[in-house]
Amino acid sequence: MIRDALLPLLRAPECAARLSLREWDDVIRQARNANLSARIAADLEAYGLLDAVPPGPRQHLIAARAVGARQRIASLAEIDRVRRALDECGIRLVLLKGAAYLAANLPASRGRVFGDIDLLVPKAALPDTESTLLRHGWISSHLNAYDQRYYRQWMHELPPLRHVNRGSSLDVHHNILPLTARHPPDPALLLDQAVPAAATPGVWVLAPADMVLHSACHLFHEGELDNGMRDLVDLDGLLRHFASQGAFWQSLETRAVALNLQRPLRYALHMCSVMLATPIPATTLAFGGRWPSDTRERLLEQLYLRGLRPNDPTAGDAWTPLARQLLYLRGHWLRMPPHLLTAHLARKAWRNWSGHSDDDEAPAPDAIKPDRQL
């Protein structure tokens, strides 16, 4: 049975005053599993309600708030190190996701905990970017030959980089969807519209509509949803914040068409509206046709209603494990065409079982673009 503890608190923090200790136990468990403890603490503090929380759960929230504040300081320092490194080769630092929300000081960064710094560079600049970061101590964390080919030939990013001393992680993207997706957007459109980060000189972020679209396609194109609720909260925060800008909703629809991201946007708008009561104009909710519109989409809606919840037994029901498995398979289906996907999963499963190294294997086949819907 689903005990819907976290969602009501995210929708209306003022309901914290009415929660029992049993309900707080569920809130703390679910928030911790969703990486939202610091966000809950920040919301309650903003409403002046943190001191009204019972002592036990309040200590959990205060500790999470301290961890979030410390990571905020460390992340800003690391962003500045990356910026200074890329300045040496004349490459502009364009941040994505959590690092971008932090650099722009957006409300979505409040209590936002993230593990990697994501950046977007032109594909032609990848060699200079990688060599520069290597000189500054970031090395690839995926060293076997197959993983290197997997990222470099098929994916939209370099193999993840980790700093040899500080342990910080970088994800260097040249697109926001894998090369094997049906219609990967033109990254030049994203980079051309990037804007300076308001709170961090020398750093850039995606334009407001593009930031929302990237968040939507990241969430609804992936099959691993351990942070699904956190990412949905990101979308809710971005939509609420940017809604105050003139013509934002029209710009969002226009950019979705230009970037071939209409479907992820439809999914994102609907799930934000249903799960977090995000205020979205009716005309925008109906963008591209109201969702869900048929049996397949209604099934997908039910899968996401379960898969986007925190990965905790109290936040699921008997169908949740199956929903997560199906969304995991869907994410891989969108990522690669069937013959490459089958070979990739079989190879990885065999390697994990046997402990075999891929260093002496033949190059993987070139990427292709399958004809599949997002």
Side-chain angles (χ1 to χ4, degrees):
M1 175 181 177
I2 296 177
R3 297 201 292 271
D4 207 357
L6 193 57
L7 280 175
L9 196 57
L10 288 167
R11 294 190 197 108
E14 59 270 20
C15 77
R18 302 189 296 271
L19 296 181
S20 66
L21 279 176
R22 170 62 184 275
E23 290 170 324
W24 272 116
D25 182 62
D26 289 341
V27 167
I28 296 300
R29 290 183 55 175
Q30 293 181 18
R32 181 179 295 164
N33 281 305
N35 277 326
L36 283 169
S37 298
R39 172 56 184 264
I40 294 295
D43 285 351
L44 293 178
E45 189 172 35
Y47 277 78
L49 295 170
L50 186 58
D51 290 338
V53 176
R58 184 169 69 246
Q59 290 307 310
H60 285 282
L61 295 174
I62 290 173
R65 180 184 63 180
V67 170
R70 184 175 64 181
Q71 194 206 54
R72 185 183 186 93
I73 295 170
S75 297
L76 285 171
E78 199 67 12
I79 287 169
D80 188 60
R81 293 186 183 101
V82 178
R83 179 194 61 77
R84 285 187 279 116
L86 294 185
D87 279 349
E88 292 182 5
C89 55
I91 295 173
R92 186 176 60 171
L93 176 57
V94 180
L95 293 173
L96 302 172
K97 297 193 293 187
Y101 311 153
L102 177 58
N105 196 28
L106 296 176
S109 71
R110 188 174 67 246
R112 176 61 153 81
V113 177
F114 56 92
D116 306 323
I117 294 174
D118 295 84
L119 54 143
L120 180 68
V121 302
K123 191 173 183 181
L126 284 177
D128 286 344
T129 301
E130 188 173 18
S131 62
T132 299
L133 293 173
L134 180 63
R135 290 197 306 273
H136 285 264
W138 281 281
I139 62 173
S140 178
S141 60
H142 290 64
L143 298 178
N144 73 71
Y146 178 76
D147 282 349
Q148 289 286 324
R149 289 193 297 272
Y150 170 78
Y151 279 98
R152 295 177 188 278
Q153 291 186 248
W154 297 341
M155 292 297 105
H156 52 305
E157 58 185 318
L158 293 175
L161 304 175
R162 183 174 295 275
H163 198 274
V164 291
N165 295 324
R166 296 186 299 274
S168 60
S169 297
L170 297 182
D171 285 340
V172 181
H173 298 254
H174 56 85
N175 206 326
I176 60 173
L177 282 180
L179 300 177
T180 47
R182 183 189 181 194
H183 292 301
D186 181 356
L189 296 178
L190 298 168
L191 290 167
D192 288 346
Q193 295 294 318
V195 297
T200 312
V203 173
W204 297 66
V205 298
L206 299 182
D210 294 351
M211 194 179 287
V212 170
L213 289 167
H214 177 227
S215 184
C217 97
H218 172 73
L219 179 56
F220 292 98
H221 200 276
E222 294 293 320
E224 298 179 2
L225 295 173
D226 289 343
N227 289 314
M229 178 60 72
R230 183 201 66 182
D231 294 342
L232 194 71
V233 169
D234 286 349
L235 275 163
D236 171 77
L238 294 174
L239 291 170
R240 290 176 186 270
H241 176 68
F242 292 137
S244 62
Q245 299 182 2
F248 166 72
W249 298 108
Q250 181 58 50
S251 171
L252 184 61
E253 296 174 22
T254 301
R255 291 295 282 177
V257 173
L259 294 166
N260 293 306
L261 295 176
Q262 298 98 312
R263 285 177 179 272
L265 178 60
R266 289 175 65 211
Y267 300 166
L269 294 175
H270 178 78
M271 299 312 299
C272 280
S273 176
V274 168
M275 298 185 74
L276 294 172
T278 310
I280 301 170
T283 53
T284 302
L285 268 178
F287 167 70
R290 187 168 292 276
W291 190 82
S293 62
D294 55 28
T295 301
R296 181 185 66 82
E297 290 185 346
R298 283 192 289 273
L299 172 61
L300 191 58
E301 177 192 39
Q302 291 302 312
L303 295 181
Y304 274 118
L305 283 172
R306 291 165 171 81
L308 289 176
R309 293 174 184 271
N311 190 14
D312 183 88
T314 65
D317 61 12
W319 296 102
T320 299
L322 177 60
R324 288 184 173 275
Q325 290 174 10
L326 292 175
L327 289 172
Y328 177 81
L329 292 174
R330 175 183 179 269
H332 277 76
W333 170 255
L334 295 176
R335 182 181 293 255
M336 304 175 79
H339 70 286
L340 291 182
L341 175 61
T342 302
H344 172 69
L345 293 179
R347 188 191 304 266
K348 298 290 281 188
W350 178 67
R351 191 180 69 181
N352 291 338
W353 175 79
S354 67
H356 174 73
S357 171
D358 292 304
D359 290 345
D360 57 351
E361 293 182 0
D366 290 337
I368 65 170
K369 296 180 175 62
D371 186 20
R372 298 194 306 284
Q373 292 182 338
L374 293 180

